[in-house]
Amino acid sequence: MAAQVLVVGAARDGVGKTTFAVNVALSLLKETRKRVLVVDLDVNGVGDVATLLGVTEARSIADFIPYVAQLSAETIGPYIQAHGTGIGVLPLAATPQAAARIAPDGVAKVLDLVAPLCDYLVVDVGAGVDPVSVVAMERAAGIFLLVEPSPTGLGAARRFSDHLQTLHFPQALVKFVVNAHDAASVLTREAIAARLGRPALVIFPKDDTLALDAAIKAAPFVMDQPRAALSRLYDELVRQLVEKGVLDQLAAVERGRNVAVDGRRVVEVTEEQAKAIEGYMKSRGGARGKGGRELDARTRLKMLIHKRLPEVLDLKRLDREIGSKPDKDKQLRERAEVAVARVLDEEGASVTDRAERRRIVKEVCDEALGLGPLEDLLADDRVTEIMVNGRDNVFAEISGKLRRTEYSFTDDAQLLAVIERIVTPLGRRIDEKSPMVDARLPDGSRVNAIIPPLAIDGPSITIRKFAREPLGVADLVRFGSLTPELADLLRACVQARLNIVISGGTGSGKTTLLNVLSSFIPEDDRIVTIEDAAELQLRQPHIVRLESRPANIEGVGEVKIRDLVKNSLRMRPDRIVVGECRGAEAVDMLQAMNTGHDGSLTTVHANSARDALARLETLVMFAGLDLPSRAIREQIASAIHILVQVTRLTDGSRRIISVCEVSGMEAQTITLQEVFAFKQTGVDANRKVLGTFGPTGFIPKFVSKLGEMGIEVPRGMFAAPGQGTIPRGRA
């Protein structure tokens, strides 16, 4: 059976921490007659334990830490110094320099090795919190904080205890021990309890003579002077810990914590807590989930914390206090975590596992300040799209594969709150009158939300994630989305001011490719970008970004993409980049391309290059202009030079599958010539699509224009495999 670990710490040095550790260890030996080991882990107080015990020649942790992985509980025994009193001693190091070189993971292995060798393991850690002391506290059945009985000492101890709370150590494990209290002090027991926030476990009286004499003789007073009043108080403390069950209660917390790690412990909710949660849930529309499913105890505890949170944290006031500081979000988060940890300690006594406590605090803060369960998915760089189909069904595209995640929302109210948190800062609304909204997150990720009555199974959210660092052409080449030769050709076409339309289905990578092509625009060009939700990440210095706006609550103030395209013509643009043509703005875009704004770029939803032309024709008709089809097609044929078709293949990869030149009109039909094409040949054992991408053998007309611009393109790149002389025009 492993030892019960007692960790002795303090907020500051010089409060008698090591004296307490040594004497409580000896008192444990006297009272229980069991095996007791003292381990010195105080990096800043190296040798203090050995000095108080008179240990002069002893091996230390620093001596065997380089090969601790090869040691066992049997082979580590010789490194433990057997003290004359009967306890074991394991010093940290001979010098502070040697102690500083010891890594926390090595200390963890040492503690796990020696724990089976004793019944009580007393660990003297350094003042404050460092990685080594955290390792010990994670294994503690009790954390004893030594406190100096002064206003500053009491304040430091309480702040230290609060800090441990934010590190997710249960306050049930933390006990205050007041040392060297002057009986004549105005700081009474009641005053001390008030300053600490709870009563101290024990208050030791001041006895400098006894402590100094013991230190000089290297003979701890509980053994050397067992009848002294202070020695008897130590013995009484140990009896209280052992016989009266205090230590067993702390150990029970530790056992519960270990059980929770294995996933076998269920968070418990008291009857009184259940009633409070029930009332809170009713205010949110009911305590049961969809289909009458009862909320689990863990979720109910989180709901109770949400209910209590306004009592300890006024987010609106805090928001005003912090103002517009650069790290405002970070400060809000830190304050919220402190408040949530405090409420969790008060309400979640059954949650003793540190990792579980950390998860609950994070989840509550995510729900209170962020996007709740979606925060982890947004932080995962592998995730490119998130789809919420009601509160219980959260899907994500991870590394190109769509899968259902383990995340869910507590209820529809929480999901609606997340949607509100997204749209409100943008001045947009979502309610029964306006149940659909397009928005974007602060990082630029595109969001679409739709709520009941239109969404039958509950609110729905779709998030197209915005890459922290925009993908470049090298990334697309590495992914296999296009070849290096095609990348060079498209760069030349952009620089030669050809008008390019990117066509593809939803999620095929149109915007990513548009962003890459836009990056080829020379830096001295004035660029105007126009989007529904700003996604483009152009790095050129001379750029104006425009974004459409929906109507406000009164139904006025709407600014459409078409309005912005018209306005952009008055802004002296060299290039116009429209994120997507999906309505009547197609007319103005084509007119811009035909009236001196060459080099413009846009995207359109279509499954093929031919479909893209038909789609543009339909969009022009949306403008309500009474134009014959031939006139519209002539506009399209004269405006667009290149159509690039992208698609998302069955294995989740996105790539260019066709590059076509718009070569003119024949009768009533726009003529297209495919210059490059992808041919799928099959799939491999992992269902990855196999195929080849290459030229069709047709030399496009725009090669001549590239030559006029001084951009030479080797004609051999257009030769189909096995093709000799390449004809100009049709292949």
Side-chain angles (χ1 to χ4, degrees):
M1 178 178 177
Q4 290 185 347
V5 181
L6 280 63
V7 173
V8 181
R12 54 176 66 168
D13 289 315
V15 296
K17 172 177 59 66
T18 305
T19 297
F20 174 82
V22 169
N23 281 280
V24 83
L26 290 169
S27 189
L28 275 168
L29 178 67
K30 285 197 305 178
E31 296 298 321
T32 66
R33 301 296 178 184
K34 292 184 177 181
R35 300 170 300 170
V36 181
L37 173 62
V38 180
V39 178
D40 180 8
L41 290 184
D42 188 348
V43 176
N44 296 317
V46 169
D48 286 354
V49 169
T51 298
L52 290 180
L53 288 169
V55 176
T56 56
E57 294 182 7
R59 294 183 179 181
S60 66
I61 293 173
D63 294 328
F64 62 80
I65 201 74
Y67 48 90
V68 67
Q70 284 75 49
L71 295 177
S72 65
E74 292 75 24
T75 56
I76 200 173
Y79 291 96
I80 299 173
Q81 176 80 21
H83 190 257
T85 57
I87 65 171
V89 182
L90 186 56
L92 179 63
T95 65
Q97 293 80 5
R101 290 194 292 268
I102 298 176
D105 57 345
V107 171
K109 292 175 183 176
V110 171
L111 293 177
D112 293 339
L113 281 174
V114 300
L117 303 179
C118 56
D119 299 294
Y120 296 103
L121 181 58
V122 180
V123 184
D124 180 26
V125 298
V129 176
D130 58 50
V132 169
S133 64
V134 168
V135 164
M137 290 179 184
E138 286 176 336
R139 291 157 172 76
I143 301 173
F144 299 88
L145 300 185
L146 270 290
V147 182
E148 175 194 350
S150 68
T152 56
L154 294 167
R158 180 164 186 173
R159 289 191 296 273
F160 184 44
S161 175
D162 290 343
H163 181 46
L164 291 179
Q165 190 177 55
T166 65
L167 295 177
H168 312 292
F169 287 105
Q171 289 292 285
L173 293 178
V174 180
K175 301 296 180 183
F176 290 118
V177 176
V178 178
N179 194 36
H181 179 252
D182 189 342
S185 171
V186 296
L187 287 171
T188 63
R189 286 180 176 273
E190 292 74 17
I192 289 173
R195 288 176 180 268
L196 292 176
R198 62 181 186 273
L201 177 65
V202 63
I203 298 178
F204 288 125
K206 186 176 184 179
D207 193 337
D208 292 340
T209 303
L210 182 68
L212 181 60
D213 183 61
I216 292 173
K217 294 192 299 184
F221 49 77
V222 296
M223 286 292 194
D224 187 56
Q225 301 187 48
R227 297 181 181 230
L230 191 55
S231 299
R232 291 198 300 270
L233 277 175
Y234 267 86
D235 293 341
E236 176 57 33
L237 170 63
V238 168
R239 282 191 291 272
Q240 181 183 351
L241 292 176
V242 178
E243 296 177 7
K244 296 183 179 179
V246 174
L247 196 55
D248 289 336
Q249 292 171 16
L250 296 178
V253 173
E254 169 66 9
R255 286 194 299 273
R257 190 167 58 183
N258 292 335
V259 170
V261 171
D262 297 333
R264 296 192 298 270
R265 184 180 181 85
V266 178
V267 175
E268 299 169 0
V269 178
T270 66
E271 184 177 347
E272 182 180 352
Q273 289 175 329
K275 290 180 180 178
I277 298 168
E278 194 73 21
Y280 183 58
M281 290 298 295
K282 285 180 179 177
S283 69
R284 294 168 59 92
R288 291 176 182 267
K290 185 173 63 177
R293 177 176 60 83
E294 287 284 357
L295 297 176
D296 59 80
R298 184 177 184 276
T299 302
R300 286 172 168 264
L301 177 59
K302 285 167 53 182
M303 299 302 296
L304 182 62
I305 295 172
H306 277 294
K307 180 178 184 294
R308 288 279 320 278
L309 197 55
E311 300 173 12
V312 295
L313 185 69
D314 186 341
L315 283 173
K316 290 184 178 179
R317 179 183 59 79
L318 188 58
D319 185 71
R320 290 193 300 269
E321 287 179 1
I322 296 176
S324 57
K325 294 180 180 179
D327 60 346
K328 177 177 181 177
D329 291 342
K330 180 181 178 182
Q331 289 192 41
L332 279 172
R333 181 81 182 199
E334 289 174 350
R335 300 276 190 92
E337 286 180 351
V338 171
V340 172
R342 185 177 302 127
V343 176
L344 176 58
D345 248 325
E346 295 171 2
E347 301 290 351
S350 64
V351 185
T352 53
D353 172 48
R354 188 177 175 220
E356 176 66 7
R357 292 171 67 86
R358 184 185 292 112
R359 281 192 294 270
I360 290 177
V361 170
K362 178 185 181 301
E363 289 173 11
V364 172
C365 288
D366 285 346
E367 292 159 7
L369 301 176
L371 302 185
L374 304 184
E375 287 289 335
D376 287 341
L377 295 172
L378 289 169
D380 190 340
D381 291 334
R382 300 172 304 156
V383 175
T384 53
E385 197 146 7
I386 302 167
M387 289 144 278
V388 181
N389 307 337
R391 64 170 216 171
D392 290 322
N393 297 305
V394 179
F395 290 80
E397 186 179 72
I398 304 174
S399 301
K401 295 291 184 180
L402 190 63
R403 63 190 69 174
R404 185 171 182 170
T405 72
E406 61 183 4
Y407 300 98
S408 64
F409 290 82
T410 302
D411 53 17
D412 286 351
Q414 184 194 7
L415 182 49
L416 284 168
V418 165
I419 297 174
E420 288 285 354
R421 198 169 290 126
I422 293 172
V423 304
T424 300
L426 301 175
R428 304 194 178 185
R429 57 179 288 198
I430 187 163
D431 51 33
E432 287 193 4
K433 290 185 178 179
S434 301
M436 296 182 293
V437 68
D438 285 315
R440 57 183 167 85
L441 299 178
D443 68 353
S445 297
R446 186 168 59 191
V447 181
N448 174 269
I450 183 167
I451 65 173
L454 300 187
I456 298 173
D457 296 323
S460 175
I461 308 176
T462 306
I463 300 176
R464 179 77 57 80
K465 278 185 62 179
F466 197 68
R468 290 184 176 87
E469 287 294 326
L471 295 177
V473 64
D475 297 306
L476 298 191
V477 171
R478 187 173 71 254
F479 297 153
S481 298
L482 75 167
T483 63
E485 296 76 17
L486 179 58
D488 291 338
L489 179 63
L490 292 175
R491 184 193 301 272
C493 291
V494 172
Q495 293 174 347
R497 305 184 67 85
L498 299 184
N499 295 322
I500 302 174
V501 173
I502 301 168
S503 166
T506 301
S508 58
K510 297 187 300 299
T511 304
T512 299
L513 182 59
L514 178 63
N515 202 65
V516 169
L517 297 188
S518 299
S519 70
F520 298 151
I521 298 174
E523 291 194 351
D524 55 354
D525 279 3
R526 176 173 169 83
I527 308 168
V528 179
T529 67
I530 303 167
E531 301 173 84
D532 257 335
E535 293 182 275
L536 296 175
Q537 296 172 281
L538 275 63
R539 301 298 177 88
Q540 290 90 334
H542 199 174
I543 182 170
V544 180
R545 302 172 70 219
L546 305 179
E547 185 178 51
S548 64
R549 185 181 70 186
N552 60 18
I553 296 176
E554 289 77 26
V556 298
E558 180 182 14
V559 179
K560 298 180 179 179
I561 289 285
R562 185 177 188 185
D563 301 323
L564 296 176
V565 173
K566 288 180 178 179
N567 187 77
S568 70
L569 300 177
R570 305 184 187 99
M571 299 174 67
R572 198 233 169 257
D574 291 309
R575 311 274 188 145
I576 300 173
V577 180
V578 177
E580 180 181 346
C581 277
R582 62 175 70 177
E585 65 272 6
V587 172
D588 305 285
M589 187 69 193
L590 292 173
Q591 287 180 348
M593 290 177 172
N594 276 317
T595 55
H597 296 91
D598 289 339
S600 296
L601 305 167
T602 190
T603 72
V604 65
H605 269 85
N607 293 323
S608 68
R610 179 61 63 183
D611 288 346
L613 296 177
R615 170 76 170 158
L616 285 171
E617 184 177 345
T618 302
L619 294 178
V620 171
M621 293 178 179
F622 285 167
L625 301 177
D626 189 15
L627 294 175
S629 294
R630 180 177 178 83
I632 296 174
R633 292 169 187 168
E634 286 176 347
Q635 278 271 68
I636 295 172
S638 61
I640 299 172
H641 300 112
I642 299 173
L643 273 168
V644 181
Q645 184 69 32
V646 295
T647 192
R648 183 176 184 272
L649 301 177
T650 55
D651 61 359
S653 63
R654 298 169 174 85
R655 68 173 62 190
I656 295 175
I657 62 167
S658 176
V659 177
C660 296
E661 180 182 45
V662 180
S663 53
M665 289 277 295
E666 285 188 2
Q668 298 288 324
T669 304
I670 301 173
T671 57
L672 283 177
Q673 290 292 349
E674 193 169 44
V675 183
F676 291 92
F678 173 77
K679 294 182 180 179
Q680 182 174 337
T681 58
V683 294
D684 64 14
N686 298 318
R687 309 302 299 171
K688 183 175 179 59
V689 172
L690 302 176
T692 59
F693 182 87
T696 62
F698 172 79
I699 297 181
K701 296 178 181 178
F702 62 70
V703 170
S704 299
K705 184 173 183 180
L706 296 181
E708 294 170 2
M709 301 285 293
I711 303 172
E712 293 299 327
V713 177
R715 298 201 174 195
M717 71 178 299
F718 300 106
Q723 185 178 23
T725 304
I726 306 173
R728 184 187 177 98
R730 294 189 182 277

